Amino acid sequence: MTPMTTDGENPQTTDRPARSAKRALVGRLSWGLADQAASSISNFAVGIYVARSLGVTAFGVFSLAWVTYGVVLNVSRGLATDPLVVRFSGVPQASWRGAVARSTGTALGVGTALGVLCLAAGLGLGGRVGPAFAALGLMMPGLLLQDAWRFSFFAAGDGRKAFVNDIVWGIALIPAMVVAAHVDTVAAFVLAWGASATVAAGYGCVQSGIRPRPAQARGWLREQRDLGYRYLVENVSLSGASQLRAYGLGVIVGVSAVGAVRGAELLLGPFLAVLMGLSLVTVPEAARVLRQAPHRLGRFCLYLGGGQATGALLWGSALLLMPGRLGELALGDVWHSSSHLIVQITLSVAGAGLGTGAAAGLRALGAARRSLRCQLFASACYVSGGLGGAALGGTAGSAWGVAAATISGSAVWWLQLRSALREHHRETIPEVRTS
């Protein structure tokens, strides 16, 4: 006979939902990794080609445009897609579609407005940097809309569509890169990268059957202002700190130092692809864990952060054992400057990976004040450590300062998550009547 539980249920029957939920979780995480791998290959290919073809100084110019794009991207995510992921993951289809139309419209509006500013700044700067920034400004709306589709699909639990969208981007990038190679300038590669993303952004409209509605952006911002503006400050402080560090490093040490740091980060590109791929699904998954089994949220975040930190350390160790010829094959002349920064960059990525587990938990809890507090502290440490280290020890000193700052910031993230979990536990305990 089949054994029964004390309440008369078949244990095999009760185990089936748990097994199904685990398979669904693994499936969503797998699509997140696959999607980020596809996205990172595109970015990695552009970065490697610029590094090999144009040298460390031109690569520094490209890196300055790259970190500027990161700031604008995080503005869009904070206002448009972060609130979407927190509040519209796993909701009914009709609710999701309406939210996605407003969210992607907001991303498109942010890209247009800030793209115009970037274009004007590039035209005013001139020189070697100006054309790259002008090209970035032209491509900004398409870049941000493509990113918004990715987060929209993951909020719906359909990472496969995000993966296909990034594959379309990669395919479109091939002919665009061929054209850029004939021009052989940083601006040409920025245009190639952005134009191929715009093709994928248009395909996202076909995949979803949803048209972005920029006219409804104001309503979306008003509805999500309790989360959106805090996430905006949080995200911009993160990417803004990276931008300030890059600009400051260029002033204190030289533009070539920016290229050396970016080259070392490219060496960790495959692992960063894993980390970023997980980040696409960690907040939606943490939100699902909170709804279904809130007592497991802390453990989920610990496994998530600890696994990423361990993976970063293993990947960095492998890089230290890599023959120099392979490094030169990947980065060309940039390898000689970047290879001395592998230890510091590895520690930085490990610290960031550990912190993302706690960050996902705070986002799922909707603890925007706590997460904002953590990010402001981490960003202040990042800038002061990066620039203070550059003043004291050049490029290597800056990398050591960032590593120490990242690990310190991770500790603060976990302290805040522990406090937020205690608050949530107290709020959800039912009142016990004594009479």
Side-chain angles (χ1 to χ4, degrees), residues 376-403:
L376 290 176
F377 174 82
S379 298
C381 289
Y382 185 94
V383 173
S384 58
L387 298 186
L392 295 174
T395 308
S398 178
W400 279 117
V402 166

Side-chain angles (χ1 to χ4, degrees), residues 41-51 59 62 66 173 177 189-190 192-193:
I41 286 172
S42 302
N43 298 336
F44 187 76
V46 175
I48 288 294
Y49 195 92
V50 174
F59 190 56
F62 180 82
W66 183 275
L173 182 62
M177 286 280 285
F189 286 105
V190 173
W193 170 59

Side-chain angles (χ1 to χ4, degrees), residues 264-281:
E265 292 172 347
L266 276 176
L267 292 172
L268 275 89
F271 177 78
L272 287 173
V274 173
L275 191 153
M276 294 176 67
L278 289 174
S279 71
L280 289 170
V281 293

Side-chain angles (χ1 to χ4, degrees), residues 44 63 66-67 242 245 258-272 315 319 331 338 341-342 345 348-349 382 402:
F44 187 76
S63 299
W66 183 275
V67 296
S242 178
R245 187 260 184 129
V258 181
V261 171
R262 177 61 183 156
E265 292 172 347
L266 276 176
L267 292 172
L268 275 89
F271 177 78
L272 287 173
W315 185 265
L319 288 176
L331 296 179
S338 300
L341 306 176
I342 292 175
I345 299 297
S348 298
V349 174
Y382 185 94
V402 166

Side-chain angles (χ1 to χ4, degrees), residues 58-375:
F59 190 56
V61 173
F62 180 82
S63 299
L64 291 176
W66 183 275
V67 296
T68 302
Y69 159 71
V71 174
V72 178
L73 179 65
N74 279 300
V75 171
S76 175
R77 288 179 176 177
L79 294 176
T81 52
D82 283 346
L84 174 76
V85 168
V86 171
R87 287 186 167 150
F88 295 91
S89 291
V91 299
Q93 181 77 359
S95 179
W96 175 81
R97 290 181 65 86
V100 167
R102 300 194 302 276
S103 175
T104 54
T106 302
L108 191 58
V110 169
T112 302
L114 296 185
V116 168
L117 293 178
C118 192
L119 173 63
L123 295 176
L125 284 172
R128 302 186 68 174
V129 176
F133 275 72
L136 179 64
L138 290 173
M139 296 294 103
M140 198 69 77
L143 284 163
L144 297 192
L145 180 58
Q146 194 276 337
D147 184 76
W149 286 126
R150 296 171 68 209
F151 279 82
S152 298
F153 293 139
F154 278 107
D158 194 355
R160 181 183 59 83
K161 287 186 176 179
F163 172 74
V164 172
N165 192 273
D166 275 320
I167 291 295
V168 170
W169 183 1
I171 293 173
L173 182 62
I174 295 173
M177 286 280 285
V178 172
V179 174
H182 284 88
V183 181
D184 207 29
T185 64
V186 175
F189 286 105
V190 173
L191 286 171
W193 170 59
S196 54
T198 302
V199 172
Y203 182 62
C205 299
V206 176
Q207 287 178 290
S208 63
I210 299 172
R211 187 169 55 125
R213 301 196 176 272
Q216 297 182 12
R218 182 175 297 178
W220 173 262
L221 294 175
R222 185 171 57 251
E223 294 168 11
Q224 311 300 329
R225 63 180 178 272
D226 59 325
L227 293 182
Y229 292 116
R230 287 193 175 98
Y231 288 156
L232 168 65
V233 176
E234 182 181 329
N235 290 355
V236 170
S237 69
L238 170 64
S239 55
S242 178
Q243 188 176 28
L244 287 175
R245 187 260 184 129
Y247 289 166
L249 186 60
V251 171
I252 296 170
V253 184
V255 175
S256 60
V258 181
V261 171
R262 177 61 183 156
E265 292 172 347
L266 276 176
L267 292 172
L268 275 89
F271 177 78
L272 287 173
V274 173
L275 191 153
M276 294 176 67
L278 289 174
S279 71
L280 289 170
V281 293
T282 49
V283 176
E285 292 306 324
R288 289 185 177 94
V289 171
L290 181 63
R291 293 190 186 102
Q292 298 169 6
H295 61 285
R296 295 180 180 174
L297 180 60
R299 186 184 305 171
F300 173 83
C301 295
L302 182 60
Y303 289 158
L304 178 66
Q308 291 179 100
T310 301
L313 294 174
L314 291 174
W315 185 265
S317 300
L319 288 176
L320 291 173
L321 299 175
M322 184 176 69
R325 291 181 180 178
L326 290 179
E328 292 176 359
L329 181 64
L331 296 179
D333 293 339
V334 177
W335 163 256
H336 299 289
S337 302
S338 300
S339 60
H340 302 292
L341 306 176
I342 292 175
V343 173
Q344 300 97 307
I345 299 297
T346 298
L347 292 175
S348 298
V349 174
L354 184 62
T356 55
L362 287 175
R363 287 284 176 96
L365 289 165
R369 289 185 179 180
R370 288 187 179 275
S371 61
L372 175 59
R373 197 178 305 151
C374 292
Q375 190 56 66

